[in-house]
Amino acid sequence: MVERFNGRIEDVLQSHRFQSGEDLEQTILRYVTLYNQQLPQAALASRTPLQAMKDWHKLRPELFRKQPYYLTGCDI
């Protein structure tokens, strides 16, 4: 999973020209949200990482300090 994320973020970083460090930071944060909440992964039975984590939380809540939740808003 990490290799897939790294490969995809590399494509994003190589295809954009950033105006500032803040612009780069916001792009990375938007991509992390998109990857975790909206892009299903074959390795997770076509679920997003967050869906898989929520399912795991239902089975083993004692392993979590916080309940997983979706962040508000869409990737723009």
Side-chain angles (χ1 to χ4, degrees), residues 6 12 32 52 54 64 66 68:
N6 288 343
V12 170
V32 168
K54 288 175 76 107
F64 291 77
K66 295 181 180 180

Side-chain angles (χ1 to χ4, degrees), residues 61-72:
E62 70 277 5
L63 298 177
F64 291 77
R65 291 184 183 182
K66 295 181 180 180
Q67 183 171 348
Y69 62 92
Y70 288 97
L71 298 175
T72 58

Side-chain angles (χ1 to χ4, degrees), residues 12-45:
V12 170
L13 297 176
Q14 288 183 358
S15 65
H16 288 76
R17 187 171 186 97
F18 302 98
Q19 303 299 319
S20 65
E22 185 177 310
D23 185 26
L24 171 61
E25 179 182 15
Q26 290 304 311
T27 298
I28 291 171
L29 291 173
R30 281 193 309 269
Y31 184 76
V32 168
T33 300
L34 173 71
Y35 186 90
N36 286 332
Q37 296 186 25
Q38 297 178 14
L39 297 177
Q41 303 296 320
L44 299 173

